[in-house]
Amino acid sequence: MSLWNRRVIDRWKRVLWGFTGEGILFRLIIYFLLTLVGFVYLYPLFYMVSYSFMDTDDLIDPLVSLLPTGFYVDNFVRAAAVMDFARTLMQTVLVSFLPAALQTASAALIGYGFARFRFPLKPVLFALVLATFVIPPQITMIPQFLMFQQLGLLGSIFAYLIPAIFGQGLKSGLFILIFYQFFRSIPKALEEAAQIDGAGPYRIFAVISVPMAVPAFIISFLFSMVWYWNETTLAALYLGDQLRTLPLQLQQFAATYQKLYPVAPNSQTGRSLNEAINMAGTFLNMIPLLIVYFVAQRWFVESVERSGITGE
Amino acid sequence: MRLSHRWREALTGLSFVCIWIVGFLIFTLFPLVRTFLFSLNEVRITAEGIRTQYIGWENYRAALFLDVQFGDILVQYAMETLVTVPIIVVFALMMALLLNIKVRGRGVFRTIYFLPVVITSGPVIKQLIDQGATTLPGIEDVVEMSLLEQMLPGLIADIVTYLLGSFITILWFSGVQMLIFLAGLQKLDASMYEAASIDGASRWETFWKLTLPMMNPMIVVNLVYTVITQSVFALNPVIGYVQDAMYDPALGMGYSAALAWLYFAVMLILLGLFVLLVRQRKR
């Protein structure tokens, strides 16, 4: 009887917990934890989306806490007008895609140079590449600002492009490291074969190494683009008022709103800026990046494994 | 012949790297030196150009001993970094361990956890915080704030309230670190764990004796990465202050440059502290 009992207990234990933890109960706990954390992660976004559709009544009504009673689209119309959405979007795409493309191309060249050739002072130079990642942009931005001012480049995209070309863009050190690790991880055999056939180093780089490094290119471009997109400190300083990016417009949202929709002294309707319009603006600002993320999601989440940046 | 081959290789290598060397000199080293020189001068921007007047360490002295506000936010930045960075790294490690368990659909969760890395910018976070999107409703009911402040000494109570108020934004900064840990975990040798379990080691023991020591390089990388991203994030009050000083005619660029260097120095000290801390445990 007791033996039978123990067998039943053992079997249940196995079903629930499993030999090494694959049982039902174990999985339930894992899923519970993953979902709980996932909810906390997404909560601000749920909040943002839901509030962005609320009208003034919903905001005041204590019974409406998280879900709006209807889809009040006027918030978006106003937020788009405040941020001058279509034009700003085009400009943001311009000042994030172009520098990202140039930064990626130069990082590939530089990374390849460090990965494949021996030359004097290489360890020192490579250490400096990594050091540039640690140096906060705030410490170099004043002289850079003055330099661009003298050259008359302030307010133009060249203030972003030129450092990117020279491998000194946003987090350039990181991208050089990505290409360095990537080129070191691919076998030399093909390149050596081409060398024996008489191809020069630049030809080998362009025809053989670059096509093999497509993942590194995609990853670098995506991250570079996203980081340029979200950059505000340098954007405000170098691009100024001539080129407005979406995050910069969002930064000035309240001020622009008051200029665009001044509150009439005797009006009672909720024309003034409220949470819902703010959240609609934030949502609009985020939509392009959300689209990029869901299209290229795999490249983002597999970036660390694929680029081999953690090293071997 | 052999020498010429080496020379050729060196020249080819340098030709690939030369754009970086030129760029580094113009856009990093020169500005660094110039900010440092600025920080020793009083810098005025006039119609004719930049006027500098050498005043020695006066800017630094003023920033450290006279500027109460800067001292306050610098200390606050250091304290917050000391608290949030380990939390982010430990949280990222825990989540990576969870995501490393082979259950169906874990890719979806990984996608969710990484999403904030892509959409986070200063203004977005600021809007979300200002509109109350980053505080979970009911958290105040669970934790009685006033009771907390009574029971704990001032500083710790401050830290706890800060953490409760901003834990969502803390989580939002752990995506990259999580992926770095996950990549590290996936490279671990399964046979080592089998051997350990045959020798009778429990999961708890294998985590502390096998996983954690193997993760040490990733921990260092993540600590460094977290300190840097936290320090250069646009909402960091120190950065805002340095920038405001730059435009403030009463303070000037020289003063702002001194602030930037002080802030960089504090950041390096924090980095060194974290790296030393982890290094020592290895022995």
Side-chain angles (χ1 to χ4, degrees):
Chain A
M1 186 64 188
S2 80
L3 193 72
W4 183 82
N5 245 344
R6 182 176 296 165
R7 253 192 212 157
V8 171
I9 290 169
D10 273 356
R11 183 182 295 162
W12 274 106
K13 219 171 146 186
R14 210 172 297 153
V15 169
L16 289 176
W17 202 252
F19 284 112
T20 50
E22 279 87 35
I24 295 170
L25 190 66
F26 180 77
R27 280 178 184 212
L28 275 179
I29 293 171
I30 299 294
Y31 279 124
F32 173 73
L33 286 174
L34 288 172
T35 317
L36 186 75
V37 177
F39 174 75
V40 175
Y41 260 93
L42 293 182
Y43 177 79
L45 299 184
F46 291 145
Y47 184 99
M48 175 190 74
V49 174
S50 146
Y51 266 70
S52 65
F53 287 110
M54 285 187 186
D55 60 12
T56 334
D57 295 337
D58 282 352
L59 286 175
I60 298 167
D61 192 347
L63 292 176
V64 177
S65 65
L66 204 52
L67 287 179
T69 51
F71 288 102
Y72 188 65
V73 195
D74 189 50
N75 295 331
F76 286 94
V77 177
R78 284 183 182 213
V82 169
M83 296 200 291
D84 194 4
F85 188 73
R87 212 181 122 215
T88 313
L89 178 66
M90 291 308 293
Q91 289 182 346
T92 317
V93 168
L94 191 74
V95 298
S96 52
F97 278 60
L98 271 184
L102 287 174
Q103 158 144 294
T104 304
S106 71
L109 270 174
I110 298 161
Y112 187 77
F114 277 113
R116 277 291 187 261
F117 305 101
R118 277 169 304 169
F119 47 87
L121 288 178
K122 184 168 128 172
V124 179
L125 290 174
F126 197 65
L128 286 174
V129 170
L130 299 183
T132 56
F133 184 61
V134 181
I135 298 169
Q138 281 73 26
I139 206 160
T140 52
M141 73 185 180
I142 301 172
Q144 282 196 11
F145 172 78
L146 295 172
M147 197 190 297
F148 292 138
Q149 197 176 37
Q150 273 176 344
L151 296 171
L153 295 178
L154 283 184
S156 87
I157 191 173
F158 288 101
Y160 259 16
L161 292 184
I162 293 173
I165 292 171
F166 286 98
Q168 309 293 322
L170 269 186
K171 306 194 188 191
S172 270
L174 187 65
F175 298 113
I176 295 171
L177 180 66
I178 288 178
F179 277 104
Y180 172 80
Q181 294 281 25
F182 199 90
F183 283 126
R184 268 168 50 112
S185 73
I186 52 180
K188 266 185 174 172
L190 259 175
E191 292 171 36
E192 278 163 359
Q195 204 176 3
I196 291 164
D197 288 346
Y202 308 106
R203 214 180 126 78
I204 292 175
F205 172 71
V207 180
I208 295 172
S209 311
V210 169
M212 284 205 283
V214 169
F217 276 95
I218 297 176
I219 290 161
S220 290
F221 177 77
L222 284 175
F223 275 92
S224 185
M225 191 270 282
V226 162
W227 281 331
Y228 267 110
W229 185 295
N230 285 326
E231 172 57 46
T232 51
T233 313
L234 298 182
L237 199 64
Y238 296 162
L239 307 178
D241 295 329
Q242 283 94 325
L243 280 168
R244 304 301 295 175
T245 67
L246 281 172
L248 281 179
Q249 294 285 48
L250 188 65
Q251 204 166 36
Q252 301 195 329
F253 196 76
T256 324
Y257 187 90
Q258 255 121 48
K259 244 183 265 166
L260 204 61
Y261 302 105
V263 184
N266 53 356
S267 80
Q268 290 171 354
T269 48
R271 287 186 68 92
S272 63
L273 182 59
N274 58 31
E275 288 131 293
I277 301 173
N278 265 316
M279 287 290 93
T282 313
F283 191 18
L284 274 179
N285 172 85
M286 216 182 264
I287 286 172
L289 287 177
L290 287 175
I291 294 171
V292 168
Y293 186 61
F294 284 105
V295 171
Q297 176 251 111
R298 201 169 58 94
W299 290 102
F300 279 106
V301 294
E302 288 172 9
S303 56
V304 180
E305 298 156 53
R306 278 168 177 268
S307 61
I309 197 162
T310 46
E312 222 64 52
Chain B
M1 181 63 201
R2 203 185 174 90
L3 193 74
S4 87
H5 175 73
R6 267 181 103 176
W7 266 104
R8 196 183 297 163
E9 182 182 343
L11 282 178
T12 321
L14 283 170
S15 71
F16 274 101
V17 181
C18 67
I19 43 165
W20 183 85
I21 298 174
V22 172
F24 177 75
L25 293 177
I26 299 175
F27 294 106
T28 303
L29 192 63
F30 172 66
L32 271 179
V33 173
R34 207 169 175 203
T35 343
F36 185 66
L37 290 178
F38 274 180
S39 72
L40 301 177
N41 284 283
E42 190 169 322
V43 182
R44 291 258 171 266
I45 306 238
T46 56
E48 299 100 68
I50 305 159
R51 281 229 180 129
T52 56
Q53 192 191 355
Y54 183 75
I55 51 167
W57 299 93
E58 197 53 41
N59 281 326
Y60 289 93
R61 212 180 61 84
L64 283 177
F65 302 113
L66 302 175
D67 193 337
V68 183
Q69 205 192 341
F70 182 68
D72 275 356
I73 54 174
L74 200 62
V75 169
Q76 195 199 341
Y77 151 75
M79 293 299 295
E80 282 184 8
T81 311
L82 281 176
V83 175
T84 45
V85 169
I87 290 178
I88 290 175
V89 173
V90 169
F91 175 79
L93 179 59
M94 285 179 357
M95 292 317 292
L97 286 167
L98 257 182
L99 286 172
N100 198 35
I101 297 167
K102 292 187 175 47
V103 292
R104 204 171 294 162
R106 63 187 173 142
V108 178
F109 290 104
R110 192 174 57 168
T111 307
I112 292 172
Y113 302 154
F114 195 71
L115 172 65
V117 175
V118 175
I119 56 176
T120 296
S121 67
V124 164
I125 295 278
K126 189 170 185 310
Q127 278 280 11
L128 290 175
I129 292 174
D130 287 352
Q131 309 305 327
T134 53
T135 40
L136 282 178
I139 192 109
E140 285 88 2
D141 306 339
V142 180
V143 189
E144 196 67 58
M145 290 290 179
S146 56
L147 199 71
L148 209 81
E149 269 156 34
Q150 278 170 14
M151 278 165 57
L152 296 168
L155 187 66
I156 298 175
D158 280 353
I159 291 172
V160 173
T161 37
Y162 159 75
L163 286 178
L164 285 174
S166 55
F167 77 102
I168 289 183
T169 37
I170 291 176
L171 299 197
W172 273 32
F173 282 96
S174 61
V176 172
Q177 293 86 324
M178 215 182 278
L179 287 189
I180 290 176
F181 277 134
L182 196 58
L185 286 173
Q186 282 166 355
K187 259 184 234 156
L188 291 181
D189 193 356
S191 63
M192 225 163 44
Y193 285 84
E194 272 167 40
S197 80
I198 288 167
D199 287 346
S202 69
R203 285 187 155 213
W204 183 249
E205 282 169 325
T206 49
F207 172 74
W208 290 102
K209 300 244 165 79
L210 266 181
T211 314
L212 207 56
M214 301 284 282
M215 283 289 114
N216 199 58
M218 275 85 197
I219 295 174
V220 174
V221 167
N222 278 339
L223 283 173
V224 172
Y225 183 85
T226 314
V227 171
I228 292 170
T229 42
Q230 289 287 307
S231 302
V232 302
F233 188 57
L235 288 190
N236 190 319
V238 187
I239 286 177
Y241 194 79
V242 172
Q243 241 180 316
D244 291 344
M246 191 177 151
Y247 291 117
D248 192 340
L251 298 170
M253 292 211 174
Y255 188 68
S256 170
L259 296 184
W261 269 103
L262 281 174
Y263 153 71
F264 187 33
V266 171
M267 186 186 128
L268 284 181
I269 292 171
L270 289 170
L271 268 180
L273 220 70
F274 279 122
V275 173
L276 270 180
L277 218 73
V278 187
R279 275 272 169 83
Q280 255 170 4
R281 212 182 41 202
K282 214 165 118 185
R283 255 178 265 150

